[in-house]
Amino acid sequence: MSEELRVRVHQWASGLDPEDNRVRLAEGVAPGADLVVFPEAFARDFGEAGSDVSPYAEPLDGPFGRAVSLLADRAGCTVVAGMFEVADDPDRPYNTLVVGGASQAAYRKIHLYDSFGYRESDRLTGGAAEPVVVDVAGWQVGLMTCYDLRFPELARRLVDAGAEVIVVPAAWLPGERKVEHWRTLLAARAIENTCFVVGAGQPEPRYSGHSAVFGPLGETLAAADGAEETLEVALVRDDLLAARRTNPSLANRRL
């Protein structure tokens, strides 16, 4: 069991050409990290608000999923990246995080972004309400996507399932107070669950950027501004254990 988890967060933009995005994916997966995190919808951006993304949906073993697994295996790491996955309704794919490397998994976004004037559920299918936790170098890593962050119940279910780290790829749309919401909620999920939280957002100007990694007492371990950037941070298990001794709120729950 590793005492440190080396995390690399790419706050990179995806475009409308899936092949170009796979080239960029390859540029971002290299040795030196245990976990490499790309934003939501990295296989192909959403495009104009409300547009049909179903032509760009792929199976998990399609070109993007195969690239994630191959690159992760070559670099000796685990990769998490967002894609649109074919669903039973061909017109409404899943918004999926694909995981490649020693652990293979997929998380289908549960809470679709029907908020702030948007209707993601018109174009996408929500995933089953089940937490997804994967092993990364002996660490338990839980997955959520973007708008899921506003639902503390999911983070708690991930931690109850063993998560020590919660990873949140996002394409967090800009707007008044939206960066404050993003950063505050990332920190809140870390503090209330005494776990590490890794937020990986697409950059400005299309999205909000400001990716960040928070420790289990809410300390900022790494943070980006709005532009494209890569964060590198080592998560330390002793810090997690110390935080849970200092603030045993998970053990003190009564509900």
Side-chain angles (χ1 to χ4, degrees):
M1 180 180 296
S2 174
E3 293 306 309
E4 290 191 351
L5 183 71
R6 300 168 299 164
V7 178
R8 180 178 301 141
V9 178
H10 290 303
Q11 181 173 284
W12 288 0
S14 63
L16 299 180
D17 185 325
E19 186 173 352
D20 288 346
N21 294 332
R22 291 195 297 273
V23 170
R24 195 82 198 278
L25 178 79
E27 293 171 355
V29 181
D34 302 304
L35 176 63
V36 180
V37 185
F38 292 85
E40 176 185 19
F42 197 76
R44 199 267 185 183
D45 185 44
F46 285 91
E48 292 297 322
S51 61
D52 182 9
V53 297
S54 63
Y56 307 99
E58 303 178 10
L60 292 174
D61 60 355
F64 189 77
R66 290 198 305 271
V68 166
S69 293
L70 177 63
L71 292 165
D73 288 343
R74 285 179 177 174
C77 66
T78 298
V79 175
V80 178
M83 62 174 285
F84 299 119
E85 179 197 355
V86 291
D88 291 339
D89 182 345
D91 295 325
R92 296 169 58 241
Y94 294 115
N95 184 342
T96 297
L97 299 179
V98 60
V99 180
S103 293
Q104 303 279 328
Y107 166 68
R108 295 162 176 164
K109 185 178 181 181
I110 295 170
H111 301 97
L112 299 180
Y113 188 55
D114 290 356
S115 188
F116 289 89
Y118 292 86
R119 287 279 307 173
E120 192 174 32
S121 63
D122 288 344
R123 293 297 189 182
L124 295 171
T125 296
E130 294 296 333
V132 176
V133 178
V134 298
D135 183 281
V136 180
W139 289 67
Q140 298 303 299
V141 177
L143 303 176
M144 60 168 59
T145 304
C146 202
Y147 189 51
D148 284 330
L149 184 63
R150 293 185 180 273
F151 298 87
E153 302 87 353
L154 178 55
R156 181 53 54 89
R157 287 193 65 187
L158 289 167
V159 169
D160 284 345
E164 301 161 300
V165 182
I166 296 175
V167 170
V168 193
W172 197 267
L173 287 163
E176 187 177 4
R177 295 184 295 275
K178 292 296 288 296
V179 170
E180 289 83 353
H181 287 195
W182 165 245
R183 283 283 180 83
T184 299
L185 291 166
L186 289 171
R189 299 294 87 85
I191 294 166
E192 68 198 4
N193 293 293
T194 51
C195 68
F196 294 99
V197 172
V198 177
Q202 292 214 33
E204 296 175 348
R206 175 77 169 91
Y207 300 101
S208 294
H210 288 82
S211 300
V213 181
F214 288 94
L217 293 177
E219 64 275 31
T220 302
L221 302 180
D225 292 324
E228 285 207 352
E229 186 173 346
T230 295
L231 304 176
E232 302 264 2
V233 63
L235 312 185
V236 180
R237 191 180 300 280
D238 283 348
D239 293 345
L240 177 73
L241 298 176
R244 290 182 171 179
R245 287 193 298 269
T246 298
N247 176 24
S249 57
L250 293 174
N252 290 341
R253 283 182 293 168
R254 294 295 178 265
L255 295 175

